[in-house]
Amino acid sequence: MPSSISQRLMRNALELAPFVYGFVGPDYIIQSHNSAALKWVGQSGCDLVGLNFRDLAAPEMLETVTHHFLQALSGEVITFERVIATKDGPRYSLAKYIPETDPAGHVTGVHIYIWDISEQRRVEDEARRLKDRFEGAFRSTAVGMAIVGPDGAFIEVNPTFSRMLGYTPTEILSLDFQTITHPQDLDIDLVRLGALIDGTSDAYTIEKRYITKAGAQVWGILSVSVVREPDGSVSHFVAQVQDITERKATEEKLFREHELAEVTLGSIGDGVITCDAAGQVNYLNPVAEVLTGWRTEQAQGHNIQTVFNVSDQDGQRVKCPMTQALETGATVELEANSNLKTRNGSYLPIEDSAAPIRDRAGTIIGGVLVFQDVSKRRALSLDLDFLAHHDALTGLVNRTLFSERLAIALERSKHDGSKCAVLFCDLDRFKQVNDVYGHASGDEILSAVAGKLRHCAQEGATVCRWAGDEFAILLPYISNMHEAGELAHRIVEATREPIFLQSTIGRVDTGMSVGISLYPDDGSDASSLMIAADIALYEAKRQGRSTFAFHSSDFNAAKHHRAFQERRLREALETGGVEVHYQPRISLQDGRMKSVEALVRLRCDGVLVYSGEFIPIAEEVGLIHELSRFVTREVCRQLDAWRDTEFAHLVVAINLSPSRLTQASLVQENKDFLEEFNLEPGQIEFEITESMLVGTDQRLKTRLDELHDFGFKLSLDDFGTGFSNLAYLRSLPVDTLKIDRSFISMPGVDTEIVKTINTLSRSFGKIVVAEGIETPEQEAQLITLGCDEAQGFLYARALSAQEFTARFSGCINADMRHTT
């Protein structure tokens, strides 16, 4: 009974089993099988019992199956896999042959078990392919990858990660991620990792820094995901790291450049506005906000012409340079003398330029406009323009403007046949007053006389301070000589009246002599008219002063006087009667003598004749070149004599005349003098006057450049009384500006003028020297105003070389200032 039940249970179990079963006798005949065997051989619904086992085997497997069956009949348990090709693809099976023996040990048959493992093999193959694919990607990807254990130790890393950190794979596997993480980035990494471990997140991404084997920093984007065991515990972490070091360096560079641009735009003194390609404003720097009255957030989105509203000097609106720059693609400058209308309606003088901004392809993507407030510069320019054409002391027209107006008047007179007159005026006894009471009182007299001349002259006349106490008046378009005579009479009468000075002198009685020349009677050009008026003035003085005289061909006295002066000059040059005197120039910072000015004198019959009396004659008769050569060589000789003395450091300034400066031989002659006495060119400074800048003679500019390039110093004398052209100050190689004494010797230093000139000089990098210092009060004011050096009677008059050496021996380096 039990045996029968057991057999029945076994058959039921085999019938329900998910594998093929059959029992085959030694003769290959199938004795039993389950239903799965029928499906396996494709004969569902049939009975296989009694069939030959070998007949059911596939032809290609017959030999293998027979071989393994015979092994089983010999008593072995055989297990093997086989592949069967089907129309749906290969099928994989696992077969097991188990022999059955009787009690005597004889094999009575073979139990055959066959499992279909096609799906298992498919899964295994797919897993293997995925593993190979992962390993290929893991090894060859450009992104660093690492498998990290729960403790932070590296389990596996790819070559990219190793190269990124400079370790070999073996070296890095001995480390943990904490070791190679920058200390400042470790906390955030640990916090995010903790969230993975406790299950509050499945992955995280951060930017962090790694420390390489060499100690350098590498920036990376770290992405970490967690892999868990079936029970939910952490198996390991998968980390991917993209190297962004180069990107970070670029970001840092861009940040620094942005910061630099922000700081620069915020600190420069110019206003800056940027806009897009459509002209819509997107940025104003702080200066632009102040100048326009618009804040950036207010201006953004507005058209540039709304924010930057510009008009010309007549109030007519002009096209915004930014608009033109965007349209033309070129840099555009604002029209001269333009004004910006600010947001509050006021007008501001400005200068600006605008330029387009392009991308790499050259496409215009916006524009930048740079502008500045030129209120002070324009006011200074107007002041300088006034100084260029007017006398600083009296406010009258100077020689430059007078000459221009005379030329215009002569051209018109030639065209329409009208007459014009020139009146040359000179104050009587002025020199004595000036010498006795000083320059301050003299300047007060000159200012008072200038006012009287303005009052006397009719409308249309030009009143000019010619030089010193000489004045000139142009009467254009007169009908007859009587008009000139009437003006001269009014002048003589007006200047006879006493002048009451504010100084302690009180009343001063003076007078004025006037010489008159007429066009075309006395000359056809400006030069001949001026000479004729000068001769007439001499005749008026000869007649007893405080009168006037018309020019006459009979006036030869002036010519005789000039002939006498010329003869005296020639004799002095031939007989050694020419002397060079030296007047010190001291530093207002430390009081030490820095340089001296060489002044030429004539010694005639024991009397010293000053340069003003013979230099004009030397110019007229052509002796100025010989005189200049004598002075320059004498200065070089004196510097050689001072070579081993305490005076060796002095620079000597020498005056250059206009005609001398145009000579081609000038530079070479001066080089020869230096070579003769073995001197350096920096020991010589040549002085030119502002009047020499009038005109366009290129020879002047060329000669100055040659002198400066060789090493000579250059200074501009009497600054403020002549041309005062900014273009010349920029282009001429002048080292020093000497403020004319008229700004110093008037009652109190003209602080505004001196301050303006000082500011202008410093902007061009020039040294400022004040002339005509006579009082400690003047010196104190000039020190306060920041002048560099000073020269005048306060320190010393011009002295002969012998007197100079004797007076300053032992104290050449002493503080000569009187305010200390």
Side-chain angles (χ1 to χ4, degrees), residues 54-335:
R54 290 183 297 177
D55 293 340
L56 299 177
E60 66 273 13
M61 293 297 296
L62 180 60
E63 183 178 350
T64 300
V65 168
T66 301
H67 173 72
H68 289 317
F69 187 78
L70 291 175
Q71 286 181 300
L73 288 176
S74 66
E76 295 182 38
V77 176
I78 304 300
T79 302
F80 66 95
E81 290 186 15
R82 63 178 182 171
V83 181
I84 303 173
T86 71
K87 65 178 181 179
D88 298 323
R91 292 179 63 191
Y92 297 88
S93 63
L94 174 66
K96 195 164 189 175
Y97 292 1
I98 302 174
E100 183 178 300
T101 60
D102 57 17
H106 297 110
V107 176
T108 60
V110 176
H111 295 278
I112 296 177
Y113 298 91
I114 302 174
W115 289 271
D116 187 346
I117 61 172
S118 296
E119 181 63 20
Q120 177 184 338
R121 288 296 300 273
R122 186 190 67 76
V123 172
E124 289 176 351
D125 289 346
E126 182 65 22
R128 185 165 47 254
R129 282 194 298 272
L130 290 174
K131 181 175 181 297
D132 292 342
R133 187 179 303 161
F134 172 77
E135 288 183 350
F138 187 81
R139 299 294 172 192
S140 61
T141 180
V143 175
M145 296 188 68
I147 307 299
V148 184
D151 59 354
F154 289 103
I155 299 173
E156 189 172 358
V157 297
N158 71 348
T160 301
F161 191 69
S162 299
R163 286 193 299 271
M164 187 186 305
L165 299 177
Y167 291 98
T168 65
T170 302
E171 289 173 333
I172 207 166
L173 290 179
S174 66
L175 305 173
D176 55 37
F177 81 90
Q178 295 95 326
T179 303
I180 61 172
T181 298
H182 192 285
Q184 295 179 1
D185 298 338
L186 183 57
D187 287 347
I188 184 64
D189 204 356
L190 291 174
V191 170
R192 303 297 293 276
L193 190 65
L196 291 188
I197 294 173
D198 63 22
T200 56
S201 70
D202 295 325
Y204 70 87
T205 299
I206 62 171
E207 289 187 2
K208 62 177 283 188
R209 287 165 288 179
Y210 292 91
I211 306 300
T212 69
K213 183 179 180 180
Q217 294 184 18
V218 173
W219 273 97
I221 297 179
L222 169 66
S223 297
V224 181
S225 57
V226 62
V227 178
R228 301 184 184 277
E229 299 289 358
D231 63 359
S233 62
V234 174
S235 171
H236 58 272
F237 302 101
V238 178
Q240 299 183 61
V241 182
Q242 181 181 354
D243 187 348
I244 59 169
T245 305
E246 185 174 343
R247 192 199 81 187
K248 278 291 185 179
T250 301
E251 288 177 355
E252 179 64 20
K253 180 181 179 182
L254 290 174
F255 175 79
R256 290 178 180 274
E257 290 177 350
H258 180 267
E259 284 297 296
L260 177 61
E262 284 291 324
V263 172
T264 300
L265 290 174
S267 60
I268 62 174
D270 292 345
V272 178
I273 303 176
T274 62
C275 68
D276 60 21
Q280 304 301 306
V281 174
N282 49 37
Y283 173 78
L284 289 85
N285 76 338
V287 174
E289 290 183 334
V290 171
L291 296 181
T292 64
W294 290 79
R295 294 196 303 274
T296 295
E297 58 269 23
Q298 295 171 330
Q300 286 175 339
H302 285 283
N303 188 274
I304 183 64
Q305 294 198 92
T306 300
V307 177
F308 197 73
N309 184 351
V310 187
S311 59
D312 59 22
Q313 57 185 346
D314 295 325
Q316 298 298 313
R317 188 165 185 174
V318 298
K319 193 170 186 179
C320 176
M322 179 82 88
T323 304
Q324 298 182 60
L326 294 175
E327 292 174 352
T328 64
T331 299
V332 178
E333 293 187 357
L334 187 64
E335 296 179 10

Side-chain angles (χ1 to χ4, degrees), residues 27 101 168 183 244 246 279 286 293 367 369 399 438 440 442 466 485 537 546 551 618 620 657 668 680 696 725 744 758:
D27 56 357
T101 60
T168 65
I244 59 169
E246 185 174 343
L369 185 148
R399 283 194 193 189
W466 189 257
L537 172 62
S546 294
H551 177 264
E620 290 180 14
S657 70
Q668 186 57 51
E680 294 297 324
T696 57
N725 189 301
I744 309 301
N758 210 29

Side-chain angles (χ1 to χ4, degrees), residues 581-636:
H581 288 201
Y582 301 89
Q583 186 178 30
R585 214 166 80 188
I586 68 108
S587 168
L588 289 176
Q589 279 67 49
D590 59 18
R592 294 182 57 190
M593 191 186 304
K594 294 291 187 71
S595 56
V596 295
E597 181 177 0
L599 298 169
V600 64
R601 303 286 189 258
L602 297 186
R603 183 75 66 174
C604 299
D605 299 325
V607 177
L608 202 61
V609 181
Y610 291 90
S611 57
E613 296 185 38
F614 60 87
I615 290 296
I617 304 298
E619 288 274 8
E620 290 180 14
V621 302
L623 290 176
I624 192 65
H625 307 307
E626 183 178 350
L627 187 61
S628 294
R629 281 190 289 269
F630 172 86
V631 172
T632 304
R633 188 180 184 282
E634 178 60 19
V635 166
C636 291

